[in-house]
Amino acid sequence: MSDSGLIDRIKKGDQQAFKLLFDKYHLKVFNTCMGFMHNKNDAEDITQDVFIEVYKSVNKFRRESKFSTWIYRIAVNKSLNHIRDNKKSNWLNNIETLIAGTKNNEVEIKDTLGTDPEIIFENTEKADMLHRAIDSLPKNQKIAFTLNKYEDLSYKQISEVMDISLSSVESLIHRAKKNLQKKLLNYYKIN
Amino acid sequence: MNCKEVNKNLIFYVEGELQPEKETELQEHLKDCHDCNVLFLNLKETLAIITQEKAAKPNPFLFTRIQEEINNLEEPRKVFVLNSNFIKILQPVTLSLLLVLGVVFGISMGNSIQYQTPGQSMVYQSDEFYLNDLQQETIESFLLTEE
């Protein structure tokens, strides 16, 4: 069934249609959130918030853009808001990290990379560096890069989500990659 | 191509976005330059982490969580609407009643207090009367009026 048909059914209170919409979009939303959060638990929480927002605001959706564009926008905004709110309590997280001596995302990387401690440590360090490099990008570069790399969105789709021109998206992703390269190469040279 | 140029284009090489000519030049440089090759391998491994992260799957019970959350949102909302309407009516009614009660109580209190003006004697007149329900003549008056 088309998105439009599902939305009409959700507006009438059809829970089954909402489940179908969730099945269709939850991985896309989750991957987008993972790109911003780099943490499975946070990404799940934001995915949950996104679908609750969709359910609550479905009557406000005026079909001026595609539903996919609308849901990606919600996912990006929710992720950025979450990062902003997290920054406020960052000092608390730092204390927690100092006490625990580890970060949450290490657990996830361990899960995906097997059991060799050396490989786990090396990749954990690299993942940490990559996340820090992505997080330090300017906001629009980060959005464009994340949508492109984590969600494999085309430049055209990104331009629709961000409501900017195609050439702007090209420029943003090019600059994001250059910035990432600079940060990562500096890190490798130092270490 | 020298090391500086390679370092500028390494990420685009990893991503496969270089022009064929430039790509060949860079490949040739990597064969001969150990340092650049190490940087290339590190960068490639780091960017591959994105692919690993993309493989992560959300909790299979995520939809149940969302549905529960939506149900929780809807139920208190109904109660809240009822409460807010009830409170909207109840507040002014209670305040008006309290005001009227206050005025009535004030008036009754004011009436119950008797002020004594200076020079006024403290004479209390009893409003109470002894009642004699016995309509017959008493024994005393009978004896006194004996003919």
Side-chain angles (χ1 to χ4, degrees), chain B residues 48-109:
Chain B
I49 289 167
I50 293 175
T51 316
Q52 289 163 7
E53 284 183 348
K54 277 161 71 177
K57 294 274 177 285
N59 188 318
F61 298 106
L62 185 59
F63 184 72
T64 316
R65 257 171 64 184
I66 292 168
Q67 217 169 17
E68 210 169 286
E69 201 66 35
I70 287 169
N71 291 340
N72 286 342
L73 278 175
E74 281 179 346
E75 279 167 20
R77 199 193 293 162
K78 282 177 191 167
V79 173
F80 177 71
V81 169
L82 279 175
N83 280 347
S84 65
N85 284 338
F86 185 64
I87 286 165
K88 271 179 194 169
I89 298 163
L90 193 69
Q91 266 185 339
V93 168
T94 313
L95 281 172
S96 313
L97 274 173
L98 281 172
L99 197 70
V100 169
L101 277 172
V103 169
V104 170
F105 182 71
I107 290 167
S108 67
M109 284 293 286

Short mmCIF file of all heavy atoms in Angstrom, two decimals, chain B residues 48-109:
data_model
loop_
_atom_site.label_atom_id
_atom_site.label_comp_id
_atom_site.label_asym_id
_atom_site.label_seq_id
_atom_site.Cartn_x
_atom_site.Cartn_y
_atom_site.Cartn_z
N ALA B 48 35.10 2.03 7.32
CA ALA B 48 34.34 0.78 7.26
C ALA B 48 33.48 0.59 8.51
O ALA B 48 32.51 -0.18 8.50
CB ALA B 48 35.29 -0.40 7.10
N ILE B 49 33.84 1.32 9.59
CA ILE B 49 33.05 1.23 10.83
C ILE B 49 31.61 1.70 10.59
O ILE B 49 30.67 1.18 11.19
CB ILE B 49 33.75 2.05 11.96
CG1 ILE B 49 35.02 1.31 12.38
CG2 ILE B 49 32.83 2.26 13.17
CD1 ILE B 49 35.95 2.11 13.24
N ILE B 50 31.46 2.65 9.66
CA ILE B 50 30.11 3.13 9.33
C ILE B 50 29.26 1.96 8.82
O ILE B 50 28.10 1.81 9.21
CB ILE B 50 30.17 4.28 8.29
CG1 ILE B 50 30.84 5.51 8.93
CG2 ILE B 50 28.78 4.63 7.77
CD1 ILE B 50 31.07 6.67 7.98
N THR B 51 29.87 1.13 7.96
CA THR B 51 29.13 -0.03 7.43
C THR B 51 28.74 -0.99 8.55
O THR B 51 27.64 -1.53 8.56
CB THR B 51 30.01 -0.77 6.39
OG1 THR B 51 30.63 0.19 5.56
CG2 THR B 51 29.20 -1.72 5.53
N GLN B 52 29.68 -1.18 9.52
CA GLN B 52 29.37 -2.06 10.66
C GLN B 52 28.22 -1.48 11.48
O GLN B 52 27.35 -2.22 11.93
CB GLN B 52 30.61 -2.23 11.54
CG GLN B 52 31.69 -3.07 10.89
CD GLN B 52 33.04 -2.89 11.57
OE1 GLN B 52 33.14 -2.23 12.60
NE2 GLN B 52 34.07 -3.46 10.99
N GLU B 53 28.25 -0.17 11.68
CA GLU B 53 27.18 0.47 12.47
C GLU B 53 25.83 0.37 11.77
O GLU B 53 24.80 0.25 12.42
CB GLU B 53 27.52 1.94 12.73
CG GLU B 53 28.58 2.09 13.82
CD GLU B 53 28.87 3.53 14.15
OE1 GLU B 53 28.44 4.43 13.40
OE2 GLU B 53 29.55 3.76 15.15
N LYS B 54 25.89 0.40 10.44
CA LYS B 54 24.64 0.31 9.67
C LYS B 54 24.01 -1.08 9.80
O LYS B 54 22.81 -1.25 9.56
CB LYS B 54 24.91 0.61 8.20
CG LYS B 54 24.94 2.10 7.91
CD LYS B 54 25.62 2.41 6.62
CE LYS B 54 24.86 2.00 5.40
NZ LYS B 54 25.56 2.41 4.16
N ALA B 55 24.83 -2.05 10.19
CA ALA B 55 24.32 -3.42 10.33
C ALA B 55 23.54 -3.61 11.63
O ALA B 55 22.85 -4.62 11.80
CB ALA B 55 25.48 -4.41 10.27
N ALA B 56 23.67 -2.64 12.53
CA ALA B 56 22.96 -2.76 13.82
C ALA B 56 21.45 -2.75 13.59
O ALA B 56 20.95 -2.04 12.73
CB ALA B 56 23.35 -1.60 14.72
N LYS B 57 20.77 -3.58 14.35
CA LYS B 57 19.30 -3.68 14.21
C LYS B 57 18.64 -3.23 15.51
O LYS B 57 19.15 -3.51 16.60
CB LYS B 57 18.90 -5.14 13.94
CG LYS B 57 19.38 -5.66 12.59
CD LYS B 57 18.39 -5.32 11.48
CE LYS B 57 18.87 -5.76 10.11
NZ LYS B 57 19.93 -4.93 9.54
N PRO B 58 17.51 -2.57 15.41
CA PRO B 58 16.84 -2.15 16.65
C PRO B 58 16.18 -3.33 17.35
O PRO B 58 16.00 -4.39 16.77
CB PRO B 58 15.79 -1.15 16.15
CG PRO B 58 15.54 -1.52 14.74
CD PRO B 58 16.80 -2.13 14.21
N ASN B 59 15.81 -3.09 18.58
CA ASN B 59 15.14 -4.10 19.40
C ASN B 59 13.85 -4.58 18.70
O ASN B 59 13.07 -3.76 18.23
CB ASN B 59 14.78 -3.43 20.74
CG ASN B 59 14.26 -4.39 21.76
OD1 ASN B 59 13.47 -5.27 21.46
ND2 ASN B 59 14.71 -4.22 22.99
N PRO B 60 13.63 -5.90 18.62
CA PRO B 60 12.42 -6.39 17.92
C PRO B 60 11.12 -5.97 18.62
O PRO B 60 10.06 -6.03 18.02
CB PRO B 60 12.59 -7.91 17.92
CG PRO B 60 13.64 -8.21 18.91
CD PRO B 60 14.51 -7.01 19.05
N PHE B 61 11.23 -5.56 19.89
CA PHE B 61 10.02 -5.15 20.61
C PHE B 61 9.81 -3.64 20.58
O PHE B 61 9.03 -3.09 21.37
CB PHE B 61 10.08 -5.64 22.07
CG PHE B 61 10.13 -7.14 22.17
CD1 PHE B 61 11.31 -7.78 22.51
CD2 PHE B 61 9.01 -7.91 21.89
CE1 PHE B 61 11.37 -9.17 22.59
CE2 PHE B 61 9.06 -9.29 21.96
CZ PHE B 61 10.24 -9.93 22.31
N LEU B 62 10.53 -2.99 19.66
CA LEU B 62 10.44 -1.52 19.60
C LEU B 62 9.00 -1.06 19.32
O LEU B 62 8.53 -0.10 19.92
CB LEU B 62 11.40 -0.98 18.54
CG LEU B 62 11.51 0.53 18.43
CD1 LEU B 62 11.97 1.15 19.73
CD2 LEU B 62 12.49 0.94 17.32
N PHE B 63 8.32 -1.76 18.41
CA PHE B 63 6.95 -1.34 18.07
C PHE B 63 6.02 -1.47 19.27
O PHE B 63 5.18 -0.61 19.51
CB PHE B 63 6.40 -2.12 16.88
CG PHE B 63 5.04 -1.63 16.45
CD1 PHE B 63 4.90 -0.41 15.80
CD2 PHE B 63 3.89 -2.34 16.76
CE1 PHE B 63 3.65 0.08 15.43
CE2 PHE B 63 2.63 -1.87 16.40
CZ PHE B 63 2.52 -0.66 15.72
N THR B 64 6.21 -2.55 20.04
CA THR B 64 5.38 -2.75 21.25
C THR B 64 5.60 -1.58 22.21
O THR B 64 4.65 -1.07 22.81
CB THR B 64 5.77 -4.08 21.93
OG1 THR B 64 5.90 -5.07 20.93
CG2 THR B 64 4.75 -4.51 22.94
N ARG B 65 6.88 -1.18 22.34
CA ARG B 65 7.21 -0.05 23.21
C ARG B 65 6.50 1.21 22.75
O ARG B 65 5.93 1.96 23.55
CB ARG B 65 8.73 0.19 23.17
CG ARG B 65 9.47 -0.32 24.38
CD ARG B 65 10.97 -0.25 24.15
NE ARG B 65 11.46 1.12 23.98
CZ ARG B 65 12.72 1.42 23.69
NH1 ARG B 65 13.61 0.45 23.57
NH2 ARG B 65 13.11 2.66 23.55
N ILE B 66 6.53 1.43 21.42
CA ILE B 66 5.92 2.64 20.86
C ILE B 66 4.40 2.61 21.09
O ILE B 66 3.81 3.62 21.50
CB ILE B 66 6.26 2.75 19.35
CG1 ILE B 66 7.75 3.04 19.17
CG2 ILE B 66 5.43 3.83 18.67
CD1 ILE B 66 8.26 2.89 17.76
N GLN B 67 3.80 1.44 20.84
CA GLN B 67 2.36 1.31 20.99
C GLN B 67 1.94 1.57 22.44
O GLN B 67 0.96 2.27 22.70
CB GLN B 67 1.95 -0.09 20.58
CG GLN B 67 0.61 -0.12 19.87
CD GLN B 67 0.35 -1.47 19.25
OE1 GLN B 67 0.98 -2.47 19.59
NE2 GLN B 67 -0.58 -1.51 18.33
N GLU B 68 2.74 1.04 23.35
CA GLU B 68 2.47 1.23 24.78
C GLU B 68 2.54 2.72 25.14
O GLU B 68 1.71 3.24 25.86
CB GLU B 68 3.53 0.46 25.58
CG GLU B 68 3.04 -0.03 26.92
CD GLU B 68 4.05 -0.99 27.51
OE1 GLU B 68 4.14 -2.14 27.03
OE2 GLU B 68 4.77 -0.57 28.42
N GLU B 69 3.57 3.35 24.59
CA GLU B 69 3.78 4.78 24.86
C GLU B 69 2.61 5.61 24.32
O GLU B 69 2.15 6.54 24.97
CB GLU B 69 5.09 5.22 24.18
CG GLU B 69 5.71 6.48 24.74
CD GLU B 69 6.20 6.32 26.17
OE1 GLU B 69 6.67 5.24 26.55
OE2 GLU B 69 6.07 7.31 26.91
N ILE B 70 2.13 5.23 23.13
CA ILE B 70 1.00 5.95 22.52
C ILE B 70 -0.26 5.75 23.37
O ILE B 70 -1.00 6.70 23.64
CB ILE B 70 0.78 5.49 21.06
CG1 ILE B 70 1.89 6.06 20.16
CG2 ILE B 70 -0.58 5.92 20.52
CD1 ILE B 70 1.94 5.49 18.77
N ASN B 71 -0.47 4.52 23.83
CA ASN B 71 -1.64 4.25 24.69
C ASN B 71 -1.55 5.05 25.99
O ASN B 71 -2.54 5.60 26.44
CB ASN B 71 -1.74 2.75 25.02
CG ASN B 71 -2.11 1.94 23.80
OD1 ASN B 71 -2.65 2.47 22.83
ND2 ASN B 71 -1.81 0.66 23.82
N ASN B 72 -0.35 5.10 26.55
CA ASN B 72 -0.15 5.89 27.78
C ASN B 72 -0.40 7.36 27.56
O ASN B 72 -0.89 8.06 28.43
CB ASN B 72 1.28 5.71 28.32
CG ASN B 72 1.48 4.35 28.95
OD1 ASN B 72 0.53 3.68 29.28
ND2 ASN B 72 2.73 3.95 29.08
N LEU B 73 -0.03 7.82 26.36
CA LEU B 73 -0.23 9.24 26.04
C LEU B 73 -1.71 9.56 25.92
O LEU B 73 -2.16 10.61 26.34
CB LEU B 73 0.44 9.58 24.70
CG LEU B 73 1.93 9.86 24.69
CD1 LEU B 73 2.40 10.05 23.27
CD2 LEU B 73 2.25 11.10 25.51
N GLU B 74 -2.45 8.63 25.30
CA GLU B 74 -3.87 8.89 25.04
C GLU B 74 -4.71 8.86 26.30
O GLU B 74 -5.57 9.70 26.49
CB GLU B 74 -4.41 7.87 24.03
CG GLU B 74 -4.01 8.24 22.62
CD GLU B 74 -4.48 7.26 21.59
OE1 GLU B 74 -4.90 6.16 21.98
OE2 GLU B 74 -4.43 7.60 20.40
N GLU B 75 -4.45 7.89 27.18
CA GLU B 75 -5.29 7.75 28.38
C GLU B 75 -5.20 8.95 29.33
O GLU B 75 -6.21 9.54 29.64
CB GLU B 75 -4.93 6.45 29.11
CG GLU B 75 -5.62 5.28 28.44
CD GLU B 75 -5.08 3.95 28.90
OE1 GLU B 75 -4.47 3.89 29.97
OE2 GLU B 75 -5.28 2.96 28.17
N PRO B 76 -3.97 9.35 29.73
CA PRO B 76 -3.93 10.51 30.62
C PRO B 76 -4.48 11.77 29.98
O PRO B 76 -5.02 12.61 30.66
CB PRO B 76 -2.45 10.69 30.95
CG PRO B 76 -1.76 9.52 30.41
CD PRO B 76 -2.67 8.84 29.46
N ARG B 77 -4.37 11.83 28.59
CA ARG B 77 -4.84 13.04 27.93
C ARG B 77 -6.35 13.20 28.14
O ARG B 77 -6.84 14.26 28.43
CB ARG B 77 -4.51 12.97 26.43
CG ARG B 77 -4.53 14.35 25.78
CD ARG B 77 -4.54 14.25 24.30
NE ARG B 77 -3.31 13.70 23.79
CZ ARG B 77 -3.19 13.20 22.57
NH1 ARG B 77 -4.22 13.17 21.77
NH2 ARG B 77 -2.05 12.71 22.15
N LYS B 78 -7.11 12.06 28.02
CA LYS B 78 -8.56 12.12 28.20
C LYS B 78 -8.89 12.57 29.62
O LYS B 78 -9.74 13.41 29.82
CB LYS B 78 -9.16 10.73 27.93
CG LYS B 78 -9.29 10.43 26.46
CD LYS B 78 -9.82 9.03 26.27
CE LYS B 78 -9.71 8.61 24.82
NZ LYS B 78 -9.93 7.17 24.65
N VAL B 79 -8.19 11.98 30.59
CA VAL B 79 -8.42 12.31 31.99
C VAL B 79 -8.11 13.78 32.22
O VAL B 79 -8.86 14.50 32.87
CB VAL B 79 -7.54 11.43 32.90
CG1 VAL B 79 -7.64 11.88 34.34
CG2 VAL B 79 -7.96 9.98 32.76
N PHE B 80 -7.02 14.23 31.59
CA PHE B 80 -6.59 15.61 31.78
C PHE B 80 -7.62 16.57 31.22
O PHE B 80 -7.95 17.57 31.84
CB PHE B 80 -5.24 15.82 31.08
CG PHE B 80 -4.75 17.22 31.17
CD1 PHE B 80 -4.30 17.74 32.37
CD2 PHE B 80 -4.77 18.05 30.06
CE1 PHE B 80 -3.85 19.03 32.47
CE2 PHE B 80 -4.33 19.35 30.14
CZ PHE B 80 -3.87 19.84 31.34
N VAL B 81 -8.20 16.23 30.05
CA VAL B 81 -9.20 17.10 29.44
C VAL B 81 -10.41 17.22 30.36
O VAL B 81 -10.90 18.30 30.62
CB VAL B 81 -9.60 16.55 28.03
CG1 VAL B 81 -10.83 17.28 27.51
CG2 VAL B 81 -8.45 16.71 27.06
N LEU B 82 -10.85 16.06 30.89
CA LEU B 82 -11.99 16.08 31.80
C LEU B 82 -11.66 16.91 33.04
O LEU B 82 -12.43 17.76 33.44
CB LEU B 82 -12.31 14.64 32.24
CG LEU B 82 -13.13 13.82 31.25
CD1 LEU B 82 -13.25 12.39 31.76
CD2 LEU B 82 -14.52 14.42 31.07
N ASN B 83 -10.49 16.67 33.59
CA ASN B 83 -10.08 17.38 34.79
C ASN B 83 -10.00 18.87 34.55
O ASN B 83 -10.46 19.65 35.36
CB ASN B 83 -8.71 16.87 35.26
CG ASN B 83 -8.86 15.58 36.03
OD1 ASN B 83 -9.97 15.22 36.39
ND2 ASN B 83 -7.77 14.88 36.24
N SER B 84 -9.39 19.24 33.41
CA SER B 84 -9.20 20.66 33.16
C SER B 84 -10.55 21.36 32.98
O SER B 84 -10.75 22.46 33.46
CB SER B 84 -8.30 20.87 31.95
OG SER B 84 -8.94 20.40 30.81
N ASN B 85 -11.52 20.68 32.32
CA ASN B 85 -12.85 21.26 32.15
C ASN B 85 -13.55 21.39 33.50
O ASN B 85 -14.18 22.41 33.80
CB ASN B 85 -13.71 20.39 31.22
CG ASN B 85 -13.29 20.57 29.78
OD1 ASN B 85 -12.69 21.58 29.43
ND2 ASN B 85 -13.60 19.60 28.96
N PHE B 86 -13.41 20.32 34.27
CA PHE B 86 -14.04 20.30 35.59
C PHE B 86 -13.47 21.41 36.47
O PHE B 86 -14.20 22.14 37.14
CB PHE B 86 -13.80 18.92 36.22
CG PHE B 86 -14.50 18.72 37.52
CD1 PHE B 86 -15.89 18.73 37.59
CD2 PHE B 86 -13.78 18.52 38.68
CE1 PHE B 86 -16.54 18.55 38.80
CE2 PHE B 86 -14.42 18.34 39.89
CZ PHE B 86 -15.81 18.35 39.95
N ILE B 87 -12.13 21.54 36.41
CA ILE B 87 -11.46 22.57 37.22
C ILE B 87 -11.88 23.96 36.77
O ILE B 87 -12.12 24.84 37.58
CB ILE B 87 -9.93 22.37 37.14
CG1 ILE B 87 -9.53 21.15 37.98
CG2 ILE B 87 -9.17 23.60 37.65
CD1 ILE B 87 -8.15 20.63 37.72
N LYS B 88 -12.04 24.13 35.45
CA LYS B 88 -12.43 25.44 34.91
C LYS B 88 -13.78 25.88 35.47
O LYS B 88 -14.01 27.06 35.72
CB LYS B 88 -12.51 25.36 33.37
CG LYS B 88 -11.20 25.67 32.67
CD LYS B 88 -11.37 25.54 31.19
CE LYS B 88 -10.01 25.51 30.50
NZ LYS B 88 -10.12 25.14 29.09
N ILE B 89 -14.70 24.91 35.64
CA ILE B 89 -16.02 25.24 36.16
C ILE B 89 -15.96 25.36 37.69
O ILE B 89 -16.52 26.27 38.28
CB ILE B 89 -17.05 24.17 35.74
CG1 ILE B 89 -17.17 24.14 34.22
CG2 ILE B 89 -18.42 24.43 36.37
CD1 ILE B 89 -17.81 22.90 33.66
N LEU B 90 -15.25 24.40 38.29
CA LEU B 90 -15.23 24.31 39.75
C LEU B 90 -14.59 25.53 40.41
O LEU B 90 -15.07 26.01 41.43
CB LEU B 90 -14.49 23.02 40.15
CG LEU B 90 -14.63 22.62 41.62
CD1 LEU B 90 -16.06 22.16 41.90
CD2 LEU B 90 -13.65 21.52 41.96
N GLN B 91 -13.55 26.03 39.82
CA GLN B 91 -12.80 27.14 40.44
C GLN B 91 -13.66 28.39 40.68
O GLN B 91 -13.75 28.84 41.82
CB GLN B 91 -11.59 27.49 39.57
CG GLN B 91 -10.34 26.76 40.02
CD GLN B 91 -9.12 27.17 39.26
OE1 GLN B 91 -9.21 27.72 38.16
NE2 GLN B 91 -7.96 26.91 39.82
N PRO B 92 -14.30 28.94 39.63
CA PRO B 92 -15.11 30.14 39.89
C PRO B 92 -16.29 29.88 40.80
O PRO B 92 -16.63 30.73 41.63
CB PRO B 92 -15.58 30.58 38.50
CG PRO B 92 -15.32 29.44 37.60
CD PRO B 92 -14.27 28.59 38.22
N VAL B 93 -16.91 28.68 40.67
CA VAL B 93 -18.07 28.36 41.51
C VAL B 93 -17.64 28.32 42.97
O VAL B 93 -18.29 28.91 43.85
CB VAL B 93 -18.69 27.01 41.07
CG1 VAL B 93 -19.70 26.52 42.10
CG2 VAL B 93 -19.36 27.14 39.72
N THR B 94 -16.52 27.65 43.25
CA THR B 94 -16.03 27.55 44.62
C THR B 94 -15.69 28.92 45.18
O THR B 94 -16.04 29.26 46.32
CB THR B 94 -14.77 26.65 44.66
OG1 THR B 94 -15.03 25.48 43.93
CG2 THR B 94 -14.39 26.29 46.08
N LEU B 95 -15.03 29.72 44.36
CA LEU B 95 -14.65 31.07 44.81
C LEU B 95 -15.88 31.92 45.11
O LEU B 95 -15.92 32.62 46.13
CB LEU B 95 -13.78 31.74 43.75
CG LEU B 95 -12.32 31.29 43.71
CD1 LEU B 95 -11.62 31.88 42.51
CD2 LEU B 95 -11.58 31.72 44.99
N SER B 96 -16.91 31.86 44.25
CA SER B 96 -18.13 32.63 44.47
C SER B 96 -18.82 32.19 45.74
O SER B 96 -19.26 33.02 46.55
CB SER B 96 -19.10 32.46 43.30
OG SER B 96 -18.43 32.61 42.10
N LEU B 97 -18.91 30.87 45.92
CA LEU B 97 -19.55 30.34 47.12
C LEU B 97 -18.83 30.79 48.38
O LEU B 97 -19.46 31.21 49.36
CB LEU B 97 -19.58 28.80 47.07
CG LEU B 97 -20.76 28.18 46.33
CD1 LEU B 97 -20.57 26.68 46.21
CD2 LEU B 97 -22.08 28.48 47.06
N LEU B 98 -17.51 30.71 48.33
CA LEU B 98 -16.71 31.13 49.48
C LEU B 98 -16.93 32.61 49.78
O LEU B 98 -17.03 33.02 50.94
CB LEU B 98 -15.22 30.85 49.23
CG LEU B 98 -14.77 29.41 49.42
CD1 LEU B 98 -13.33 29.23 48.95
CD2 LEU B 98 -14.87 29.01 50.90
N LEU B 99 -17.04 33.41 48.73
CA LEU B 99 -17.25 34.84 48.88
C LEU B 99 -18.61 35.13 49.53
O LEU B 99 -18.71 35.92 50.48
CB LEU B 99 -17.16 35.51 47.50
CG LEU B 99 -16.96 37.02 47.50
CD1 LEU B 99 -15.57 37.37 47.98
CD2 LEU B 99 -17.18 37.58 46.09
N VAL B 100 -19.65 34.47 49.02
CA VAL B 100 -21.01 34.65 49.57
C VAL B 100 -21.05 34.19 51.03
O VAL B 100 -21.58 34.90 51.90
CB VAL B 100 -22.04 33.86 48.71
CG1 VAL B 100 -23.39 33.80 49.40
CG2 VAL B 100 -22.16 34.48 47.33
N LEU B 101 -20.47 33.03 51.30
CA LEU B 101 -20.42 32.51 52.68
C LEU B 101 -19.70 33.49 53.60
O LEU B 101 -20.13 33.73 54.74
CB LEU B 101 -19.71 31.16 52.71
CG LEU B 101 -20.58 29.94 52.35
CD1 LEU B 101 -19.71 28.70 52.23
CD2 LEU B 101 -21.65 29.72 53.43
N GLY B 102 -18.62 34.05 53.08
CA GLY B 102 -17.84 35.02 53.85
C GLY B 102 -18.67 36.24 54.20
O GLY B 102 -18.68 36.72 55.34
N VAL B 103 -19.42 36.76 53.22
CA VAL B 103 -20.26 37.95 53.44
C VAL B 103 -21.35 37.64 54.45
O VAL B 103 -21.58 38.40 55.41
CB VAL B 103 -20.85 38.43 52.08
CG1 VAL B 103 -21.92 39.48 52.30
CG2 VAL B 103 -19.74 38.97 51.19
N VAL B 104 -22.05 36.50 54.28
CA VAL B 104 -23.14 36.10 55.20
C VAL B 104 -22.60 35.92 56.61
O VAL B 104 -23.19 36.41 57.59
CB VAL B 104 -23.81 34.79 54.68
CG1 VAL B 104 -24.76 34.21 55.74
CG2 VAL B 104 -24.55 35.06 53.39
N PHE B 105 -21.48 35.27 56.73
CA PHE B 105 -20.87 35.04 58.05
C PHE B 105 -20.50 36.38 58.69
O PHE B 105 -20.73 36.60 59.88
CB PHE B 105 -19.64 34.15 57.88
CG PHE B 105 -18.95 33.80 59.17
CD1 PHE B 105 -19.54 32.92 60.07
CD2 PHE B 105 -17.72 34.36 59.50
CE1 PHE B 105 -18.92 32.60 61.26
CE2 PHE B 105 -17.09 34.04 60.68
CZ PHE B 105 -17.69 33.15 61.58
N GLY B 106 -19.95 37.27 57.86
CA GLY B 106 -19.56 38.60 58.36
C GLY B 106 -20.77 39.36 58.88
O GLY B 106 -20.73 39.96 59.96
N ILE B 107 -21.87 39.35 58.12
CA ILE B 107 -23.09 40.07 58.53
C ILE B 107 -23.64 39.48 59.84
O ILE B 107 -23.97 40.20 60.78
CB ILE B 107 -24.16 40.01 57.41
CG1 ILE B 107 -23.69 40.87 56.23
CG2 ILE B 107 -25.52 40.49 57.90
CD1 ILE B 107 -24.47 40.67 54.96
N SER B 108 -23.70 38.15 59.90
CA SER B 108 -24.27 37.51 61.10
C SER B 108 -23.39 37.79 62.32
O SER B 108 -23.90 38.00 63.42
CB SER B 108 -24.43 36.01 60.88
OG SER B 108 -23.17 35.42 60.76
N MET B 109 -22.10 37.81 62.13
CA MET B 109 -21.19 38.12 63.24
C MET B 109 -21.40 39.56 63.70
O MET B 109 -21.42 39.85 64.89
CB MET B 109 -19.73 37.94 62.80
CG MET B 109 -19.27 36.49 62.71
SD MET B 109 -19.20 35.69 64.30
CE MET B 109 -17.74 36.44 64.97
#
